[in-house]
Amino acid sequence: MRISKLFLGASLLTLAACGPGFDQEIGGGATDFGNATMNNTLIQSGQKDYAIALAGRFAREVPSTITFAFDSAHLDARSVSILRQQADWIKAFPEVRFRVYGHTDLVGTSSYNKALGLRRAKAVVAYFASQGISRDRLEALASFGETRPLVQTASPEERNRRTVTEVSGFVKNHPTVLNGKYAAVIHREYIDLARRPHPANQIIQTQTNPG
């Protein structure tokens, strides 16, 4: 009997060490989505997985970063071309929300660069607004200033002077979200793409027609 009690006690201690406490909600260990109740809701509804999938699609299908001239928040022609791609993608998925983060290189004071990074992020959001994207879909607009350089150098570096756009989740109270049709959002554009004729077939057909 004593051996059984010792074995039971050791088992309980092992369980306590390996997992959340008995008074914790399942999912409480996942802190990146807030409290345990919110995390459980996101997982059970599929919203968490689908938001991650959409963010991955955005990162794969369009460039997420634009760069700036030194000490400038002006959008040049190359940046506008990239932002147009981002805007078209975001408009194709009216259910999603997005974030824009501004960055600078390491030249100048920390406070100045913080403000410069914010001006750059605001320039991107203003462009999206000009393309008909509601600011209500903007989840975050922030500046990291000089704190997250891609290249560690004290000299001017274009790759550090950038903004990054991310898809972050779903618009609250959007009809698709309320209906829980997250999978339909993910696969909607894939289905349309599969129905389009393959370019190779068009080439073969052109070559076989009499000239």
Side-chain angles (χ1 to χ4, degrees):
M1 179 66 71
R2 183 175 180 181
I3 294 175
S4 299
K5 289 182 179 178
L6 288 173
F7 179 78
L8 177 59
S11 300
L12 291 174
L13 287 173
T14 302
L15 288 171
C18 295
F22 292 107
D23 59 342
Q24 292 182 354
E25 252 182 302
I26 296 174
T31 59
D32 57 333
F33 279 85
N35 60 48
T37 300
M38 180 183 297
N39 190 63
N40 287 342
T41 301
L42 291 170
I43 292 173
Q44 291 168 11
S45 68
Q47 183 175 351
K48 179 177 179 180
D49 290 340
Y50 292 131
I52 293 172
L54 272 176
R57 276 196 62 179
F58 179 82
R60 290 192 304 271
E61 295 176 5
V62 298
S64 60
T65 302
I66 63 170
T67 58
F68 295 81
F70 181 73
D71 194 22
S72 173
H74 173 71
L75 302 175
D76 60 20
R78 182 180 59 176
S79 296
V80 169
S81 176
I82 293 174
L83 290 178
R84 187 178 298 115
Q85 296 178 57
Q86 294 182 9
D88 287 346
W89 197 101
I90 292 171
K91 287 191 291 184
F93 292 91
E95 306 90 349
V96 302
R97 304 184 74 189
F98 63 96
R99 305 167 178 157
V100 180
Y101 299 123
H103 302 263
T104 71
D105 55 26
L106 299 177
V107 180
T109 66
S110 175
S111 60
Y112 184 86
N113 286 333
K114 183 84 170 179
L116 177 58
L118 188 60
R119 293 204 308 272
R120 289 170 174 168
K122 286 182 175 179
V124 171
V125 173
Y127 177 82
F128 287 160
S130 75
Q131 300 300 299
I133 298 174
S134 172
R135 293 177 184 266
D136 291 340
R137 298 175 61 186
L138 176 66
E139 184 175 68
L141 183 151
S143 171
F144 288 110
E146 62 187 45
T147 61
R148 297 190 179 184
L150 293 178
V151 181
Q152 287 288 349
T153 176
S155 301
E157 172 54 56
E158 182 182 13
R159 286 170 290 180
N160 291 337
R161 304 191 298 264
R162 70 198 190 279
T163 61
V164 180
T165 305
E166 297 178 354
V167 166
S168 55
F170 293 94
V171 177
K172 185 178 180 180
N173 296 330
H174 190 280
T176 305
V177 177
L178 292 175
N179 291 335
K181 297 180 179 178
Y182 305 110
V185 176
I186 299 296
H187 296 290
R188 183 172 62 221
E189 298 299 315
Y190 286 137
I191 293 172
D192 290 341
L193 181 63
R195 292 173 179 167
R196 300 172 192 168
H198 195 281
N201 295 337
Q202 295 177 351
I203 295 173
I204 292 172
Q205 184 179 4
T206 302
Q207 291 176 342
T208 56
N209 288 339

